[in-house]
């Protein structure tokens, strides 16, 4: 197993109290595999990505990379592990230093790792070819490139030290539709060629559907559902997953007119003072007294590994709703 | 109630580097109670169109150089600013992508709504406050009366967009221009806002010009669709026709690049459009899409006209028009 996270908790001290940005999250990612992580802003998905990068302190739980505990590594030991986990950021404009040439941006991880100048130049040329950028790109500045090309630069930089795991934090959210497809395809090609594992963080279910092998849905810092991507998308078991799928607009006018939509009321509660019991109960159309009293644990929903954190079994109810029969 | 009819609108940017054609001969029309979606990628001119309609273009460098923006019998493009002040926010309103930065952070929500009511409806004092509370309730904000005294930073993004909508519809406009109204919002909140816009439209019969890059939103909301590329409308038609039988290769490319729920799994490859949108400074002669187009041929060195190829369905493409190469080149 490439990455294992066990019961990860990330806490931030705020003036209004302790914010549990991530609570009790466990996950596994294998080499060559993509775990999709979805949820709305503030659900903790980026914080989880940054915790795996060891960029924010982990308050609880353990992180294992290729079987090695990395949760509490510091100094030289941490520096040795860092190359194995790299990150691609959402905004290709602000994540590239505008004053540095592309060659120096892509080569920076290599020079930090102590590569010679000649080796860096060779490797940069190789990386630029890998992400289909022209050779002369190395001598140009980020502003000379379009958004999609800049994201390619960011990807080349992330790949510089041959990482085992790449955290992609909304890598295509800032891109136009036609370019988005190019970058998604590029990420898939790289995975096929190099066998890297991806943690693919996105709020866009349609993109995740296209890249993820497995899927994890987060709400207010907790995992509410996980399983094989195809299963979760076809047969959601958690009311929140169901609502997310229902809220996502479909690019099909006929279907858009006929389908039944669940429009969730209200918005995400404050993570500083989350609701008691199940955090989703304040927006859940099916909430009952039990949901306020008792927090649901992640439990198997089906025989083939799908898990859900809900007291009730909703699969049939959702099916009934789709046909208009009151549940 | 009057609809909006944009005819041959051209806008140029007068920059030190030369005159750039930001919009070229854009014609659109939205009828009362209908929704026209204006679709395209960044830089295609969709927001520029909205700003030109609202007469909010950054002048300089932008200037309307030709065309009309007809609201009933009035040409907004020709109105002096003094008279436009009476139209903007009253007959034609606009909501923007980023609700947080479009509201004044140091003025309460209530005062921002009442400003419009005072300016256009002459409402003051208690009457204005009551109407403002009514509007907040109308856009689905609970406890409206108390919310009037809140500052925008106390509200979430979705709430701020509701406030923006309340301001925009305060004077029952004939036309609402919505520029990416849900792009900055989470998907569950997006669904709420789209539903709200639909409900308000059904109640007031306003025409909605919805600007978006998201084909999913288009499918959910639009009656008609206009696709823009490099400052021109390249295809226009009823929503079903655009999705079921797109005529322009760019529209087909956009649809192919959009993952459509249910069918695409992990192992299907998304169709992509090679290359990227050209900058206005280096637009190719003729069809601007030709360098990225799989169907481009000799004729595409000339500008294809927007021609009706099916009922109410127009496309600016020689290949779609089935024009023989030599005839087009001679035209």
């Amino acid at each position: 197993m490439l990455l294992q996270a066990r019961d990860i908790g990330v806490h931030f001290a705020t003036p209004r109290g302790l914010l549990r940005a991530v609570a009790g999250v466990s996950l596994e990612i294998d080499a060559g595999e993509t775990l999709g992580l979805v949820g709305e802003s503030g659900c903790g998905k980026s914080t989880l990505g940054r915790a795996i990068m060891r960029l924010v302190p982990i308050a609880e739980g353990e992180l294992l990379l290729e079987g090695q505990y990395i949760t509490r590594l510091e100094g030289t030991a941490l520096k040795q592990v860092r190359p194995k986990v790299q990150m691609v950021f959402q905004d290709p404009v602000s994540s590239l230093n505008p004053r540095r040439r592309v060659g120096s941006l892509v080569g920076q991880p290599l020079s930090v790792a102590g590569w010679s100048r000649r080796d860096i130049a060779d490797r940069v040329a190789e990386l630029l070819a890998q992400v289909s950028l022209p050779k002369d790109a190395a001598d140009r500045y980020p502003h000379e490139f379009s958004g999609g090309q800049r994201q390619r630069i960011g990807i080349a930089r992330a790949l510089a030290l041959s990482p085992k795991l790449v955290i992609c934090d909304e890598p295509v959210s800032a891109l136009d539709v036609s370019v988005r497809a190019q970058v998604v395809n590029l990420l898939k090609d790289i995975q096929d060629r190099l066998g890297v594992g991806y943690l693919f963080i996105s709020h866009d279910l349609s993109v995740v559907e296209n890249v993820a092998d497995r899927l994890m849905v987060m709400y207010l810092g907790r995992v509410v559902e996980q399983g094989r991507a195809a299963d979760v998308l076809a047969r959601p078991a958690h009311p929140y997953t169901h609502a997310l799928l229902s809220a996502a607009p479909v690019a099909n006018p006929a279907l858009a007119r006929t389908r039944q939509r669940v429009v969730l009321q209200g918005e995400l509660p404050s993570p500083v003072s989350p609701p008691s019991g199940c955090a989703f109960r304040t927006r859940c159309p099916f909430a009952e007294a039990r949901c306020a009293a008792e927090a649901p644990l992640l439990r198997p929903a089906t025989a083939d590994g799908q898990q859900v954190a809900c007291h009730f079994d909703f699969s049939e109810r959702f099916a009934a709703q789709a046909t208009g029969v009151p549940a | 109630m009057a609809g909006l009819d944009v005819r041959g609108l051209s806008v140029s940017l007068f920059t030190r580097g030369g005159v750039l054609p930001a919009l070229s001969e854009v014609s659109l029309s939205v009828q009362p109670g209908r929704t026209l979606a204006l679709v395209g990628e960044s830089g295609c001119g969709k927001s520029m169109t909205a700003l030109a309609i609202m007469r909010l273009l950054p002048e300089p460098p932008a200037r309307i150089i030709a065309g009309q923006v007809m609201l009933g019998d009035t040409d907004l493009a020709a109105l002096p600013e003094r008279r436009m002040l009476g139209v903007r926010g009253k007959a034609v309103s606009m909501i923007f992508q980023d609700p947080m930065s479009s509201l004044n952070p140091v003025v309460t929500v209530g005062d921002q709504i009442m400003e419009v009511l005072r300016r256009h409806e002459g409402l003051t004092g208690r009457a204005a406050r009551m109407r403002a509370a009514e509007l907040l309730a109308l856009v689905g904000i609970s406890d409206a009366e108390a919310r009037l005294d809140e500052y925008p930073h106390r509200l979430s993004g979705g709430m701020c967009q509701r406030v923006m909508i309340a301001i925009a519809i305060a004077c029952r406009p004939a036309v609402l221009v919505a520029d990416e109204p849900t792009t900055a919002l989470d998907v569950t909140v997006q669904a709420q806002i789209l539903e709200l816009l639909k409900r308000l439209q059904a109640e007031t019969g306003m025409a909605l010009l919805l600007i978006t890059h998201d084909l999913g939103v288009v499918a959910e909301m639009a009656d008609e669709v206009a696709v823009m590329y490099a400052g021109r409308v390249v295809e226009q038609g009823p929503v079903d026709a655009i999705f079921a039988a797109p005529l322009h290769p760019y529209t087909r490319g956009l649809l192919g690049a959009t993952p459509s729920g249910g069918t695409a799994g992990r192992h299907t490859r998304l169709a992509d459009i090679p290359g990227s949108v050209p900058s206005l400074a280096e637009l190719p002669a003729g069809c601007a899409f030709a360098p990225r187009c799989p169907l481009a041929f000799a004729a595409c060195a000339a500008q294809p006209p927007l021609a009706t190829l099916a009922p109410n369905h127009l496309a600016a493409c020689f290949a779609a028009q089935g024009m023989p190469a030599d005839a087009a080149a001679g035209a």
Side-chain angles (χ1 to χ4, degrees), chain A residues 303-316:
Chain A
D304 48 5
Q306 193 171 340
Q307 291 184 304
V308 63
C310 181
H311 294 308
F312 309 105
D313 189 358
F314 280 116
S315 316
E316 283 172 32

Side-chain angles (χ1 to χ4, degrees), chain B residues 55-294:
Chain B
R55 293 279 307 281
L56 288 171
L57 286 173
E59 296 183 51
R63 205 163 72 215
I64 297 177
I65 54 165
Q68 285 127 32
V69 178
M70 302 302 295
L71 181 72
D73 298 328
T74 318
D75 179 9
L76 301 185
L79 279 191
E81 177 61 20
R82 188 176 39 81
R83 288 197 43 211
M84 192 64 206
L85 285 176
V87 175
R88 202 184 288 128
K90 183 167 172 68
V92 186
S93 288
M94 181 162 177
I95 53 176
F96 300 86
Q97 172 169 353
D98 186 353
M100 297 287 199
S101 62
S102 343
L103 288 170
N104 188 334
V106 296
V107 177
T108 63
V109 163
D111 283 339
Q112 298 191 53
I113 303 176
M114 285 186 271
E115 182 190 344
V116 189
L117 296 171
R118 194 161 46 238
R119 164 128 213 142
H120 291 300
E121 313 266 278
L123 285 182
T124 50
R126 181 101 202 103
R129 200 177 156 82
M130 275 177 62
R131 175 78 181 129
E134 243 175 69
L135 285 163
L136 279 191
L138 187 65
V139 296
I141 292 182
S142 54
D143 204 7
E145 181 78 39
R147 292 283 187 180
L148 288 177
D149 301 316
E150 300 263 28
Y151 287 90
H153 75 92
R154 303 254 306 153
L155 306 179
S156 67
M159 286 292 185
C160 284
Q161 195 58 292
R162 286 175 195 270
V163 172
M164 285 298 298
I165 294 172
I167 294 172
I169 61 158
C171 304
R172 301 177 192 85
V175 179
L176 178 65
V177 179
D179 188 359
E180 303 269 10
T182 58
T183 306
L185 305 176
D186 274 317
V187 60
T188 57
V189 180
Q190 163 169 288
Q192 295 170 3
I193 297 291
L194 293 180
E195 198 136 286
L196 170 65
L197 285 173
K198 272 192 207 166
R199 172 166 69 77
L200 292 172
Q201 185 181 40
E203 284 168 15
T204 65
M206 64 186 176
L208 180 61
L209 177 61
L210 178 70
I211 295 170
T212 180
H213 69 281
D214 186 335
L215 290 167
V217 172
V218 175
E220 301 272 347
M221 296 290 288
D223 299 303
E224 279 94 34
V225 182
V227 183
M228 289 188 74
Y229 189 80
R232 284 178 189 273
V233 174
V234 296
E235 179 161 5
Q236 198 169 348
V239 65
D240 289 303
I242 295 279
F243 278 85
L247 294 170
H248 199 284
Y250 177 61
T251 314
R252 263 181 257 153
L254 278 185
L255 286 167
T258 306
S260 57
T263 52
R266 165 72 173 87
H267 300 291
T268 39
R269 201 178 163 78
L270 290 176
D272 56 22
I273 306 179
S276 52
V277 182
S279 83
L280 289 178
E282 29 200 62
L283 283 185
C287 174
F289 187 62
R292 303 175 73 189
C293 181

Side-chain angles (χ1 to χ4, degrees), chain A residues 40-41 176 182 191 264 267, chain B residues 42 156 186 188 192 266 273:
Chain A
E40 297 178 283
S41 32
D176 273 318
Q182 290 173 11
Q191 185 170 55
L264 280 186
E267 296 176 28
Chain B
S42 25
S156 67
D186 274 317
T188 57
Q192 295 170 3
R266 165 72 173 87
I273 306 179

